[in-house]
Short mmCIF file of all heavy atoms in Angstrom, two decimals:
data_model
loop_
_atom_site.label_atom_id
_atom_site.label_comp_id
_atom_site.label_asym_id
_atom_site.label_seq_id
_atom_site.Cartn_x
_atom_site.Cartn_y
_atom_site.Cartn_z
N GLN B 88 27.07 67.03 -29.12
CA GLN B 88 27.73 66.03 -29.98
C GLN B 88 27.20 64.62 -29.64
O GLN B 88 26.87 63.83 -30.53
CB GLN B 88 29.25 66.09 -29.76
CG GLN B 88 30.04 65.06 -30.54
CD GLN B 88 31.53 65.20 -30.27
OE1 GLN B 88 32.32 65.42 -31.15
NE2 GLN B 88 31.93 65.04 -29.00
N SER B 89 27.07 64.35 -28.33
CA SER B 89 26.52 63.05 -27.91
C SER B 89 25.07 62.92 -28.35
O SER B 89 24.64 61.87 -28.84
CB SER B 89 26.59 62.89 -26.39
OG SER B 89 27.91 63.01 -25.97
N THR B 90 24.32 64.01 -28.18
CA THR B 90 22.91 64.01 -28.60
C THR B 90 22.82 63.70 -30.09
O THR B 90 21.96 62.94 -30.53
CB THR B 90 22.27 65.39 -28.32
OG1 THR B 90 22.35 65.63 -26.93
CG2 THR B 90 20.83 65.44 -28.79
N PHE B 91 23.73 64.30 -30.84
CA PHE B 91 23.73 64.13 -32.29
C PHE B 91 23.80 62.63 -32.65
O PHE B 91 23.00 62.12 -33.42
CB PHE B 91 24.93 64.87 -32.89
CG PHE B 91 24.99 64.79 -34.38
CD1 PHE B 91 24.46 65.80 -35.16
CD2 PHE B 91 25.55 63.70 -35.02
CE1 PHE B 91 24.49 65.73 -36.54
CE2 PHE B 91 25.59 63.61 -36.40
CZ PHE B 91 25.05 64.63 -37.16
N TYR B 92 24.75 61.91 -32.06
CA TYR B 92 24.91 60.49 -32.41
C TYR B 92 23.72 59.65 -31.92
O TYR B 92 23.30 58.71 -32.59
CB TYR B 92 26.23 59.93 -31.86
CG TYR B 92 27.43 60.47 -32.59
CD1 TYR B 92 28.43 61.18 -31.92
CD2 TYR B 92 27.58 60.28 -33.96
CE1 TYR B 92 29.53 61.68 -32.60
CE2 TYR B 92 28.68 60.78 -34.65
CZ TYR B 92 29.66 61.48 -33.96
OH TYR B 92 30.73 61.97 -34.64
N ARG B 93 23.19 60.02 -30.76
CA ARG B 93 22.02 59.27 -30.27
C ARG B 93 20.85 59.47 -31.23
O ARG B 93 20.14 58.52 -31.57
CB ARG B 93 21.62 59.76 -28.87
CG ARG B 93 22.58 59.27 -27.81
CD ARG B 93 22.09 59.52 -26.41
NE ARG B 93 23.22 59.39 -25.50
CZ ARG B 93 23.78 60.39 -24.82
NH1 ARG B 93 23.27 61.61 -24.89
NH2 ARG B 93 24.82 60.18 -24.05
N CYS B 94 20.68 60.71 -31.68
CA CYS B 94 19.56 61.01 -32.59
C CYS B 94 19.77 60.34 -33.94
O CYS B 94 18.81 59.87 -34.57
CB CYS B 94 19.44 62.52 -32.80
SG CYS B 94 18.78 63.34 -31.37
N LYS B 95 21.01 60.29 -34.36
CA LYS B 95 21.32 59.68 -35.67
C LYS B 95 20.81 58.22 -35.67
O LYS B 95 20.16 57.78 -36.61
CB LYS B 95 22.84 59.73 -35.85
CG LYS B 95 23.31 59.47 -37.21
CD LYS B 95 23.22 60.70 -38.07
CE LYS B 95 23.65 60.31 -39.47
NZ LYS B 95 23.35 61.36 -40.43
N THR B 96 21.14 57.52 -34.59
CA THR B 96 20.72 56.13 -34.48
C THR B 96 19.22 56.04 -34.28
O THR B 96 18.55 55.21 -34.91
CB THR B 96 21.47 55.45 -33.31
OG1 THR B 96 22.86 55.50 -33.61
CG2 THR B 96 21.04 54.02 -33.12
N GLU B 97 18.69 56.91 -33.42
CA GLU B 97 17.26 56.86 -33.08
C GLU B 97 16.39 57.13 -34.30
O GLU B 97 15.29 56.60 -34.43
CB GLU B 97 16.98 57.88 -31.97
CG GLU B 97 15.71 57.64 -31.21
CD GLU B 97 15.71 56.32 -30.46
OE1 GLU B 97 16.76 55.95 -29.91
OE2 GLU B 97 14.66 55.66 -30.44
N SER B 98 16.90 57.94 -35.22
CA SER B 98 16.10 58.27 -36.41
C SER B 98 16.17 57.17 -37.46
O SER B 98 15.52 57.26 -38.50
CB SER B 98 16.59 59.58 -37.03
OG SER B 98 17.81 59.37 -37.70
N GLY B 99 16.98 56.14 -37.19
CA GLY B 99 17.12 55.05 -38.17
C GLY B 99 17.79 55.54 -39.44
O GLY B 99 17.41 55.16 -40.53
N GLU B 100 18.77 56.43 -39.29
CA GLU B 100 19.57 56.96 -40.41
C GLU B 100 18.73 57.79 -41.38
O GLU B 100 19.08 57.93 -42.54
CB GLU B 100 20.27 55.82 -41.17
CG GLU B 100 21.01 54.81 -40.33
CD GLU B 100 22.12 55.42 -39.50
OE1 GLU B 100 22.90 56.19 -40.05
OE2 GLU B 100 22.18 55.13 -38.29
N ARG B 101 17.60 58.30 -40.89
CA ARG B 101 16.74 59.04 -41.83
C ARG B 101 17.09 60.51 -41.93
O ARG B 101 16.55 61.21 -42.76
CB ARG B 101 15.27 58.88 -41.41
CG ARG B 101 14.76 57.49 -41.70
CD ARG B 101 13.28 57.38 -41.45
NE ARG B 101 12.79 56.11 -41.92
CZ ARG B 101 12.75 55.02 -41.18
NH1 ARG B 101 13.16 55.05 -39.95
NH2 ARG B 101 12.30 53.88 -41.69
N LEU B 102 17.99 60.96 -41.05
CA LEU B 102 18.38 62.38 -41.13
C LEU B 102 19.84 62.49 -41.53
O LEU B 102 20.70 61.81 -40.97
CB LEU B 102 18.19 63.03 -39.75
CG LEU B 102 16.76 63.35 -39.32
CD1 LEU B 102 16.75 63.83 -37.87
CD2 LEU B 102 16.15 64.42 -40.22
N GLY B 103 20.11 63.37 -42.48
CA GLY B 103 21.49 63.65 -42.86
C GLY B 103 22.15 64.49 -41.76
O GLY B 103 21.45 65.06 -40.90
N ASP B 104 23.48 64.57 -41.79
CA ASP B 104 24.21 65.32 -40.74
C ASP B 104 23.74 66.78 -40.69
O ASP B 104 23.50 67.33 -39.60
CB ASP B 104 25.72 65.28 -41.03
CG ASP B 104 26.30 63.90 -40.77
OD1 ASP B 104 25.55 63.02 -40.29
OD2 ASP B 104 27.51 63.70 -41.05
N GLY B 105 23.64 67.39 -41.84
CA GLY B 105 23.25 68.81 -41.90
C GLY B 105 21.85 69.02 -41.35
O GLY B 105 21.61 69.92 -40.53
N GLU B 106 20.94 68.16 -41.78
CA GLU B 106 19.53 68.28 -41.32
C GLU B 106 19.44 68.13 -39.81
O GLU B 106 18.71 68.87 -39.14
CB GLU B 106 18.70 67.14 -41.92
CG GLU B 106 18.21 67.35 -43.33
CD GLU B 106 17.50 66.09 -43.81
OE1 GLU B 106 18.15 65.02 -43.86
OE2 GLU B 106 16.30 66.18 -44.11
N LEU B 107 20.19 67.13 -39.28
CA LEU B 107 20.12 66.87 -37.84
C LEU B 107 20.73 68.05 -37.06
O LEU B 107 20.18 68.47 -36.03
CB LEU B 107 20.84 65.56 -37.51
CG LEU B 107 20.83 65.10 -36.07
CD1 LEU B 107 19.42 65.11 -35.48
CD2 LEU B 107 21.42 63.70 -35.93
N ALA B 108 21.84 68.59 -37.55
CA ALA B 108 22.45 69.74 -36.87
C ALA B 108 21.47 70.91 -36.86
O ALA B 108 21.33 71.61 -35.84
CB ALA B 108 23.75 70.12 -37.57
N GLU B 109 20.77 71.10 -37.96
CA GLU B 109 19.79 72.19 -38.03
C GLU B 109 18.64 71.96 -37.05
O GLU B 109 18.17 72.89 -36.40
CB GLU B 109 19.21 72.30 -39.46
CG GLU B 109 20.18 72.89 -40.48
CD GLU B 109 20.63 74.31 -40.12
OE1 GLU B 109 19.85 75.04 -39.49
OE2 GLU B 109 21.79 74.65 -40.44
N LEU B 110 18.21 70.70 -36.97
CA LEU B 110 17.12 70.37 -36.04
C LEU B 110 17.55 70.66 -34.60
O LEU B 110 16.80 71.26 -33.81
CB LEU B 110 16.73 68.89 -36.18
CG LEU B 110 15.75 68.36 -35.13
CD1 LEU B 110 14.38 69.02 -35.28
CD2 LEU B 110 15.59 66.84 -35.22
N LEU B 111 18.78 70.23 -34.25
CA LEU B 111 19.26 70.47 -32.89
C LEU B 111 19.34 71.97 -32.61
O LEU B 111 18.97 72.43 -31.52
CB LEU B 111 20.63 69.81 -32.69
CG LEU B 111 20.65 68.28 -32.69
CD1 LEU B 111 22.06 67.75 -32.45
CD2 LEU B 111 19.72 67.71 -31.63
N ALA B 112 19.81 72.73 -33.59
CA ALA B 112 19.92 74.18 -33.41
C ALA B 112 18.54 74.80 -33.20
O ALA B 112 18.34 75.64 -32.32
CB ALA B 112 20.62 74.80 -34.61
N GLU B 113 17.58 74.32 -34.00
CA GLU B 113 16.22 74.86 -33.91
C GLU B 113 15.63 74.60 -32.51
O GLU B 113 15.04 75.49 -31.90
CB GLU B 113 15.37 74.15 -34.98
CG GLU B 113 13.93 74.58 -35.07
CD GLU B 113 13.13 73.57 -35.92
OE1 GLU B 113 13.63 73.18 -37.00
OE2 GLU B 113 12.04 73.18 -35.46
N LEU B 114 15.85 73.39 -32.00
CA LEU B 114 15.31 73.05 -30.67
C LEU B 114 16.08 73.75 -29.55
O LEU B 114 15.48 74.25 -28.59
CB LEU B 114 15.35 71.53 -30.47
CG LEU B 114 14.50 70.71 -31.44
CD1 LEU B 114 14.78 69.21 -31.28
CD2 LEU B 114 13.01 70.99 -31.20
N PHE B 115 17.40 73.79 -29.71
CA PHE B 115 18.27 74.41 -28.69
C PHE B 115 17.96 75.90 -28.57
O PHE B 115 17.82 76.43 -27.46
CB PHE B 115 19.73 74.19 -29.11
CG PHE B 115 20.75 74.72 -28.14
CD1 PHE B 115 21.03 74.05 -26.96
CD2 PHE B 115 21.44 75.89 -28.42
CE1 PHE B 115 21.99 74.54 -26.08
CE2 PHE B 115 22.39 76.39 -27.54
CZ PHE B 115 22.67 75.71 -26.36
N ASN B 116 17.80 76.56 -29.70
CA ASN B 116 17.52 78.01 -29.68
C ASN B 116 16.06 78.31 -29.40
O ASN B 116 15.73 79.41 -28.97
CB ASN B 116 17.89 78.64 -31.03
CG ASN B 116 19.39 78.64 -31.25
OD1 ASN B 116 20.15 78.70 -30.29
ND2 ASN B 116 19.81 78.55 -32.50
N GLY B 117 15.19 77.32 -29.66
CA GLY B 117 13.76 77.56 -29.50
C GLY B 117 13.23 77.03 -28.17
O GLY B 117 13.57 77.56 -27.10
N PRO B 118 12.45 75.95 -28.22
CA PRO B 118 11.78 75.48 -27.00
C PRO B 118 12.72 75.10 -25.85
O PRO B 118 12.34 75.26 -24.69
CB PRO B 118 10.99 74.26 -27.48
CG PRO B 118 11.53 73.90 -28.81
CD PRO B 118 12.10 75.15 -29.39
N ALA B 119 13.91 74.64 -26.16
CA ALA B 119 14.80 74.21 -25.08
C ALA B 119 15.53 75.39 -24.44
O ALA B 119 16.14 75.23 -23.37
CB ALA B 119 15.81 73.19 -25.60
N ALA B 120 15.50 76.52 -25.07
CA ALA B 120 16.10 77.75 -24.53
C ALA B 120 17.52 77.52 -24.01
O ALA B 120 17.87 77.92 -22.90
CB ALA B 120 15.21 78.34 -23.45
N GLY B 121 18.32 76.83 -24.79
CA GLY B 121 19.73 76.67 -24.43
C GLY B 121 20.01 75.53 -23.47
O GLY B 121 21.15 75.38 -23.00
N ASP B 122 19.01 74.72 -23.15
CA ASP B 122 19.24 73.59 -22.22
C ASP B 122 19.58 72.34 -23.04
O ASP B 122 18.71 71.79 -23.74
CB ASP B 122 17.97 73.37 -21.40
CG ASP B 122 18.12 72.20 -20.41
OD1 ASP B 122 19.08 71.42 -20.57
OD2 ASP B 122 17.28 72.07 -19.51
N PRO B 123 20.84 71.86 -22.99
CA PRO B 123 21.22 70.72 -23.82
C PRO B 123 20.42 69.44 -23.50
O PRO B 123 20.09 68.68 -24.39
CB PRO B 123 22.71 70.50 -23.49
CG PRO B 123 23.17 71.77 -22.88
CD PRO B 123 21.96 72.38 -22.22
N GLU B 124 20.10 69.26 -22.21
CA GLU B 124 19.36 68.04 -21.84
C GLU B 124 17.95 68.04 -22.41
O GLU B 124 17.47 67.04 -22.94
CB GLU B 124 19.30 67.89 -20.32
CG GLU B 124 20.59 67.37 -19.73
CD GLU B 124 20.52 67.24 -18.22
OE1 GLU B 124 19.42 67.05 -17.69
OE2 GLU B 124 21.58 67.36 -17.59
N TYR B 125 17.30 69.21 -22.32
CA TYR B 125 15.94 69.31 -22.86
C TYR B 125 15.98 69.22 -24.38
O TYR B 125 15.09 68.63 -25.01
CB TYR B 125 15.28 70.62 -22.39
CG TYR B 125 13.80 70.69 -22.68
CD1 TYR B 125 12.99 69.56 -22.58
CD2 TYR B 125 13.20 71.89 -23.04
CE1 TYR B 125 11.63 69.63 -22.85
CE2 TYR B 125 11.84 71.97 -23.31
CZ TYR B 125 11.05 70.83 -23.22
OH TYR B 125 9.71 70.91 -23.49
N THR B 126 17.05 69.78 -24.96
CA THR B 126 17.21 69.68 -26.42
C THR B 126 17.25 68.21 -26.82
O THR B 126 16.60 67.79 -27.78
CB THR B 126 18.53 70.37 -26.87
OG1 THR B 126 18.52 71.72 -26.42
CG2 THR B 126 18.69 70.32 -28.38
N GLU B 127 18.00 67.43 -26.06
CA GLU B 127 18.12 66.00 -26.40
C GLU B 127 16.77 65.31 -26.27
O GLU B 127 16.37 64.52 -27.14
CB GLU B 127 19.14 65.31 -25.49
CG GLU B 127 19.13 63.81 -25.68
CD GLU B 127 20.40 63.11 -25.22
OE1 GLU B 127 21.48 63.73 -25.31
OE2 GLU B 127 20.30 61.96 -24.78
N GLU B 128 16.07 65.62 -25.20
CA GLU B 128 14.75 65.00 -24.98
C GLU B 128 13.81 65.27 -26.17
O GLU B 128 13.19 64.36 -26.72
CB GLU B 128 14.15 65.61 -23.71
CG GLU B 128 13.11 64.77 -23.03
CD GLU B 128 12.63 65.44 -21.76
OE1 GLU B 128 13.47 65.74 -20.88
OE2 GLU B 128 11.43 65.70 -21.68
N LEU B 129 13.78 66.55 -26.57
CA LEU B 129 12.89 66.93 -27.68
C LEU B 129 13.36 66.30 -29.00
O LEU B 129 12.56 65.83 -29.81
CB LEU B 129 12.86 68.46 -27.83
CG LEU B 129 12.20 69.24 -26.68
CD1 LEU B 129 12.42 70.74 -26.88
CD2 LEU B 129 10.71 68.94 -26.62
N ALA B 130 14.66 66.31 -29.19
CA ALA B 130 15.20 65.80 -30.46
C ALA B 130 14.96 64.30 -30.60
O ALA B 130 14.57 63.81 -31.67
CB ALA B 130 16.70 66.11 -30.54
N LEU B 131 15.16 63.59 -29.50
CA LEU B 131 14.95 62.13 -29.56
C LEU B 131 13.48 61.82 -29.87
O LEU B 131 13.18 60.90 -30.62
CB LEU B 131 15.37 61.47 -28.24
CG LEU B 131 16.89 61.36 -28.02
CD1 LEU B 131 17.19 60.86 -26.61
CD2 LEU B 131 17.52 60.41 -29.04
N GLU B 132 12.61 62.62 -29.28
CA GLU B 132 11.18 62.44 -29.53
C GLU B 132 10.87 62.65 -31.02
O GLU B 132 10.16 61.86 -31.64
CB GLU B 132 10.41 63.45 -28.68
CG GLU B 132 8.97 63.06 -28.42
CD GLU B 132 8.32 64.11 -27.52
OE1 GLU B 132 8.88 64.40 -26.45
OE2 GLU B 132 7.27 64.64 -27.92
N ARG B 133 11.45 63.70 -31.59
CA ARG B 133 11.25 63.98 -33.01
C ARG B 133 11.77 62.81 -33.87
O ARG B 133 11.15 62.41 -34.84
CB ARG B 133 12.01 65.23 -33.45
CG ARG B 133 11.41 66.51 -33.02
CD ARG B 133 10.40 67.04 -34.07
NE ARG B 133 10.05 68.37 -33.70
CZ ARG B 133 10.55 69.46 -34.25
NH1 ARG B 133 11.38 69.35 -35.26
NH2 ARG B 133 10.20 70.65 -33.82
N CYS B 134 12.93 62.32 -33.48
CA CYS B 134 13.56 61.24 -34.28
C CYS B 134 12.72 59.97 -34.22
O CYS B 134 12.57 59.27 -35.21
CB CYS B 134 14.98 60.96 -33.79
SG CYS B 134 16.09 62.31 -34.17
N ARG B 135 12.19 59.69 -33.02
CA ARG B 135 11.35 58.49 -32.89
C ARG B 135 10.11 58.65 -33.75
O ARG B 135 9.67 57.71 -34.41
CB ARG B 135 10.95 58.29 -31.43
CG ARG B 135 12.07 57.68 -30.62
CD ARG B 135 11.65 57.39 -29.18
NE ARG B 135 12.83 57.38 -28.35
CZ ARG B 135 13.08 58.24 -27.36
NH1 ARG B 135 12.21 59.18 -27.05
NH2 ARG B 135 14.20 58.17 -26.68
N THR B 136 9.51 59.83 -33.72
CA THR B 136 8.32 60.09 -34.53
C THR B 136 8.66 59.90 -36.00
O THR B 136 7.91 59.27 -36.76
CB THR B 136 7.82 61.54 -34.30
OG1 THR B 136 7.68 61.73 -32.91
CG2 THR B 136 6.50 61.78 -35.01
N LEU B 137 9.80 60.43 -36.38
CA LEU B 137 10.23 60.35 -37.78
C LEU B 137 10.38 58.90 -38.21
O LEU B 137 9.91 58.47 -39.26
CB LEU B 137 11.56 61.08 -37.93
CG LEU B 137 12.12 61.19 -39.33
CD1 LEU B 137 11.24 62.11 -40.15
CD2 LEU B 137 13.54 61.74 -39.29
N ARG B 138 11.03 58.11 -37.34
CA ARG B 138 11.24 56.70 -37.68
C ARG B 138 9.92 55.95 -37.71
O ARG B 138 9.66 55.17 -38.61
CB ARG B 138 12.20 56.04 -36.69
CG ARG B 138 12.48 54.61 -37.07
CD ARG B 138 13.75 54.09 -36.53
NE ARG B 138 13.63 53.84 -35.10
CZ ARG B 138 14.57 53.24 -34.40
NH1 ARG B 138 15.68 52.85 -34.96
NH2 ARG B 138 14.42 53.04 -33.12
N GLY B 139 9.09 56.21 -36.71
CA GLY B 139 7.78 55.55 -36.64
C GLY B 139 6.93 55.89 -37.84
O GLY B 139 6.31 55.03 -38.44
N GLY B 140 6.96 57.15 -38.23
CA GLY B 140 6.13 57.60 -39.33
C GLY B 140 6.54 57.03 -40.66
O GLY B 140 5.72 56.81 -41.54
N GLN B 141 7.83 56.76 -40.80
CA GLN B 141 8.31 56.28 -42.10
C GLN B 141 8.52 54.79 -42.14
O GLN B 141 8.87 54.23 -43.16
CB GLN B 141 9.62 56.98 -42.46
CG GLN B 141 9.39 58.44 -42.77
CD GLN B 141 10.65 59.11 -43.28
OE1 GLN B 141 11.66 58.46 -43.51
NE2 GLN B 141 10.57 60.39 -43.48
N ALA B 142 8.34 54.11 -40.98
CA ALA B 142 8.62 52.67 -40.95
C ALA B 142 7.59 51.92 -41.74
O ALA B 142 6.48 52.34 -41.87
CB ALA B 142 8.63 52.20 -39.51
#
Side-chain angles (χ1 to χ4, degrees):
Chain B
Q88 178 180 240
S89 302
T90 299
F91 182 95
Y92 289 121
R93 286 190 197 112
C94 287
K95 194 82 184 169
T96 298
E97 200 62 39
S98 74
E100 311 300 313
R101 288 187 171 89
L102 285 173
D104 288 355
E106 277 176 300
L107 182 51
E109 287 300 329
L110 172 67
L111 292 181
E113 181 194 314
L114 297 171
F115 182 76
N116 291 331
D122 180 345
E124 282 179 27
Y125 191 37
T126 304
E127 172 159 328
E128 203 178 304
L129 293 172
L131 286 172
E132 202 178 307
R133 285 271 190 101
C134 290
R135 282 184 205 116
T136 308
L137 184 68
R138 183 157 73 173
Q141 290 187 6

